[in-house]
Amino acid sequence: MNLLDDLKLQYKMGGFEQKLIYWNCGVFLLSILFFYQFRLGFFDFPNWIALSSNGMEALYKPWTFLTYFFFHAGFFHLLFNMIVLNFAGRIFLTFFTQKQLLGLYLLSGIFAGLAFTLIYNLLSPGSSSAIVGASGAIMAILVATATYSPFMNLRLLLIGNVKLWQFTFVILLLDLIQIFTENTGGHIAHLAGAFFGFLYIKLLQNGTDLSKIVSFVLDGVSNVTAPKKATPFKKVHRNYNSKPTGKVSKIVTKDKTQQQIDEILDKISKSGYDSLTKEEKEFLFKAGKQ
């Protein structure tokens, strides 16, 4: 199995935290081709992708409330965000479902964009700006997890053991300190995403799961776009006197294969995809093609 096949299998078998990383990295590679100014050394995103601080302009391009947090302004911007997304997403999924992760990511990104357009002009009157980046949505996932399990122990390189709430508090504090110095719009989005993550958990604990909004929309789109399959009437004749044939052995083989797949998936859920042996990866790849 080559590298491409391995990446395909990781995408197929991984959770939404991995899929979101793949999506962001894929969009970043495309943005290099179309929006990177090689002579100047920076990205120049058009106003139909980046989210503008001008409320009217954003209102005329409502899709930018979604597109802006799938693009990044540089490699290190992307790298840091994806590291935190992988870290926070894995912890989040120890408590919540894949659909809740995706719903929180999308809703918090939109909320952070709305907060940016509403607050930026209050903090920086007379100026205009535009933002890209998934930081607000990622902060929501981190803060949501810290709100739900604040005393979870983390072991950080060169630092040692810290609580999850302490780690999250330091990141939020850095955003607050820098909000009036540089990248004001970005820090507004970070803090807004953090607030949404906190709000999401509090509402969830009271019985309201906001991520169901995204699930409802996606299920509706899936039902509309999915082709309807005909269900022809089948007449079945059963012969109670017939002897077992070779088909029984095929059913048993299929059950054993499914059992092996389930065992591998259980191993992935407990230890991650990287814990699989080469033989197990090969087996999943072949099973996925059947």
Side-chain angles (χ1 to χ4, degrees), residues 106-107 222:
L106 295 176
L107 291 176
S222 177

Side-chain angles (χ1 to χ4, degrees), residues 10-253:
Q10 286 191 48
Y11 177 84
K12 183 176 180 180
M13 306 306 298
F16 264 118
E17 86 285 0
Q18 287 187 323
K19 288 181 172 60
L20 288 169
I21 291 172
Y22 273 76
W23 296 347
N24 277 280
C25 290
V27 169
F28 181 76
L29 293 175
L30 288 175
S31 66
I32 293 175
L33 296 176
F34 294 104
F35 307 122
Y36 190 74
Q37 302 297 318
F38 289 94
R39 291 183 179 180
L40 302 176
F42 61 82
F43 283 94
D44 183 19
F45 291 106
N47 59 11
W48 49 270
I49 284 180
L51 179 62
S52 173
S53 62
N54 186 315
M56 291 304 297
E57 185 174 344
L59 186 63
Y60 282 117
K61 300 179 181 69
W63 59 86
T64 57
F65 285 100
L66 184 65
T67 57
Y68 88 91
F69 61 90
F70 282 97
F71 289 83
H72 289 82
F75 173 76
F76 290 104
H77 185 203
L78 172 75
L79 178 63
F80 179 76
N81 275 351
M82 296 304 102
I83 290 174
V84 179
L85 174 58
N86 184 64
F87 164 77
R90 285 177 179 271
I91 300 177
F92 182 90
L93 288 174
T94 62
F95 304 108
F96 305 104
T97 67
Q98 301 282 346
K99 286 186 176 181
Q100 286 173 319
L101 175 67
L102 179 62
L104 177 58
Y105 180 85
L106 295 176
L107 291 176
S108 60
I110 294 170
F111 180 85
L114 288 169
F116 163 70
T117 58
L118 292 174
I119 298 175
Y120 181 84
N121 292 302
L122 297 177
L123 298 182
S124 299
S127 63
S128 62
S129 181
I131 60 169
V132 292
S135 304
I138 295 169
M139 282 296 294
I141 296 172
L142 178 62
V143 171
T145 311
T147 302
Y148 186 79
S149 183
F151 299 105
M152 172 181 281
N153 283 314
L154 303 177
R155 185 167 182 83
L156 302 180
L157 184 66
L158 303 178
I159 297 176
N161 292 327
V162 297
K163 302 296 183 184
L164 180 56
W165 77 263
Q166 295 170 327
F167 174 78
T168 306
F169 175 77
V170 170
I171 294 179
L172 290 174
L173 185 62
L174 291 174
D175 273 313
L176 282 170
I177 292 173
Q178 300 177 75
I179 194 168
F180 291 109
T181 58
E182 59 179 9
N183 190 22
T184 298
H187 294 304
I188 292 172
H190 298 177
L191 294 171
F195 172 74
F196 189 90
F198 172 81
L199 181 65
Y200 173 80
I201 293 299
K202 291 303 179 183
L203 288 174
L204 186 62
Q205 290 173 334
N206 288 325
T208 302
D209 186 355
L210 294 177
S211 67
K212 288 184 177 180
I213 298 172
V214 173
S215 298
F216 177 78
V217 172
L218 293 179
D219 290 343
V221 172
S222 177
N223 291 335
V224 171
T225 57
K228 295 182 178 180
K229 296 181 180 180
T231 308
F233 174 77
K234 293 182 180 180
K235 190 173 183 179
V236 178
H237 295 277
R238 180 175 295 177
N239 187 352
Y240 291 95
N241 297 321
S242 61
K243 295 181 179 181
T245 64
K247 291 183 179 180
V248 175
S249 62
K250 290 184 179 180
I251 295 175
V252 173
T253 302

